[in-house]
Amino acid sequence: FFQSKASSLYFSGLAMTHKAAVEFPADLDRAELARKFEKDGYLVLEKILPQDVIDALMAAAARLVDGFDPTSHKTIFKTREQAKASNDYFLDSASKIGFFFEPDAFNENGELKQAKELSINKIAHALHDLDPTFDSFCRSELVKKTVFDICKISTPSLVQSMYIYKQPRIGGEVSIHQDNWFLHTDPLSCCGLWFSIEDATEDNGCLYAVPGSHKEHPCQKRFVREGNKVLFDDDEPMKHPPKDEDFIPLPVPAGSMILIHGGLLHRSFSNVSAKSRQAFTMHVVDANSEYSSQNWLQRPEMPFAGIHENPYISK
């Protein structure tokens, strides 16, 4: 795991500058956007991030990877088999900054096929609380207004954040899922904010979604934790599976935001192109809903923080 003291010193000024700079566009009607989001279960806002913010997020992730020792562990991330592959490193990353490799990053001898910068699947899951650049972005006015006015969450807890690389040619598939499977609350309240750091195309693994799929069956499975193991609560296929033709692609240029309802069925395919598809995603839940003790992501010694203040970074 990376403990980001050096990152904090290096990015403190940059992060504070961008906290004020990342605003929600004044010309967009948030009430109308909220209605569209409720109807479709997703919302696409193209080119909402200034280039300097994109550059800052990319640079912060690159610095974290630069400080990571790839010989420290070989934990991969693969959505289809995460229940089998999970280990203490994965579980402990709930309150740390962890690094996870692409499934095809290693050769038959267990060695990286290429540089670590081209082998990382994602950095996760507490960037929003432990790195000052991501802290500032996740608590920016853009995120606040999105969460309050479009997601309609009045008391949000920031629970998870991931910087995803979707590496060229080896970037793995993310199988069909609903975010409510992983971050379950009662009542259901999960909302995901997905930001394209690079162009996301059908060739390099853009998101696909089933419009309106959040309404009738908003949580068809649960990904639960039992001690130090995780598993799906039901090994059977989804009772209401989508058809392939139900999915629509959501290609977006760099700097765009896709808002994802916790009940939306979505996926992404493998990256078969020569270009990466970097993205940053964060998830919030309503603090007034009951966060399930069965969720894989638990932080007993580091309670979830809100969207206004972060007690885990000194400012």
Side-chain angles (χ1 to χ4, degrees):
F1 294 112
F2 188 87
Q3 304 296 330
S4 58
K5 290 183 178 179
S7 177
S8 178
L9 291 172
Y10 186 83
F11 281 106
S12 59
L14 182 62
M16 292 302 292
T17 298
H18 285 139
K19 188 164 187 178
V22 192
E23 297 284 350
F24 197 98
D27 60 336
L28 295 181
D29 184 342
R30 295 196 295 278
E32 178 58 32
L33 294 176
R35 287 189 287 270
K36 182 171 177 56
F37 177 59
E38 174 57 29
K39 173 180 175 289
D40 296 334
Y42 71 94
L43 179 69
V44 177
L45 298 178
E46 293 192 352
K47 296 184 177 180
I48 202 168
L49 299 183
Q51 187 61 48
D52 62 341
V53 173
I54 297 172
D55 293 343
L57 295 174
M58 185 179 287
R63 178 164 288 271
L64 289 170
V65 171
D66 185 60
F68 166 61
D69 178 4
T71 65
S72 62
H73 77 98
K74 295 180 180 179
T75 303
I76 67 170
F77 183 81
K78 192 172 184 180
T79 56
R80 287 186 181 273
E81 301 176 8
Q82 195 56 41
K84 298 178 183 178
S86 291
N87 55 22
D88 288 342
Y89 186 90
F90 172 75
L91 296 173
D92 290 346
S93 70
S95 56
K96 295 182 171 69
I97 297 176
F99 301 81
F100 300 87
F101 292 103
E102 293 284 3
D104 294 329
F106 298 95
N107 62 24
E108 61 274 10
N109 297 320
E111 302 166 333
L112 286 177
K113 296 177 182 177
Q114 50 195 354
K116 63 180 178 179
E117 294 82 3
L118 298 174
S119 305
I120 297 292
N121 170 287
K122 68 178 181 179
I123 311 170
H125 291 93
L127 288 161
H128 59 287
D129 282 338
L130 297 179
D131 182 272
T133 300
F134 290 103
D135 159 54
S136 291
F137 178 76
C138 292
R139 293 174 170 87
S140 64
E141 288 303 309
L142 168 64
V143 171
K144 288 177 182 176
K145 289 178 179 177
T146 298
V147 171
F148 292 144
D149 299 340
I150 302 178
C151 297
K152 299 295 184 181
I153 300 177
S154 59
T155 312
S157 290
L158 278 60
V159 296
Q160 173 179 275
S161 53
M162 300 176 283
Y163 192 96
I164 302 168
Y165 280 92
K166 204 78 164 180
Q167 299 285 5
R169 306 197 190 284
I170 64 169
E173 174 188 6
V174 177
S175 55
I176 300 169
H177 67 283
Q178 297 166 305
D179 291 340
N180 285 335
W181 297 2
F182 303 91
L183 301 171
H184 191 275
T185 63
D186 186 14
L188 297 172
S189 65
C190 180
C191 188
L193 290 76
W194 188 97
F195 298 92
S196 55
I197 303 301
E198 298 178 307
D199 293 345
T201 70
E202 293 184 50
D203 289 333
N204 71 359
C206 72
L207 296 180
Y208 282 70
V210 180
S213 57
H214 63 302
K215 292 185 176 181
E216 291 188 6
H217 309 286
C219 188
Q220 296 195 45
K221 281 181 176 286
R222 292 283 307 282
F223 187 71
V224 298
R225 179 171 180 167
E226 293 182 358
N228 287 331
K229 295 183 179 180
V230 293
L231 67 157
F232 282 104
D233 64 341
D234 184 357
D235 289 333
E236 297 298 318
M238 285 185 286
K239 292 182 175 60
H240 307 280
K243 300 175 183 177
D244 287 344
E245 57 266 30
D246 294 336
F247 283 91
I248 63 169
L250 302 176
V252 290
S256 301
M257 177 175 70
I258 301 179
L259 195 58
I260 302 171
H261 189 285
L264 182 77
L265 288 165
H266 60 289
R267 68 186 305 178
S268 67
F269 293 101
S270 300
N271 183 358
V272 297
S273 78
K275 296 182 179 180
S276 60
R277 190 228 63 187
Q278 295 186 36
F280 175 70
T281 184
M282 56 180 290
H283 291 86
V284 300
V285 299
D286 191 337
N288 291 323
S289 294
E290 181 181 358
Y291 186 82
S292 176
S293 61
Q294 291 187 304
N295 288 341
W296 83 264
L297 194 153
Q298 300 292 332
R299 290 179 26 166
E301 298 178 3
M302 188 180 176
F304 297 135
I307 206 166
H308 293 294
E309 300 295 333
N310 180 4
Y312 305 114
I313 289 182
S314 300
K315 298 178 181 179

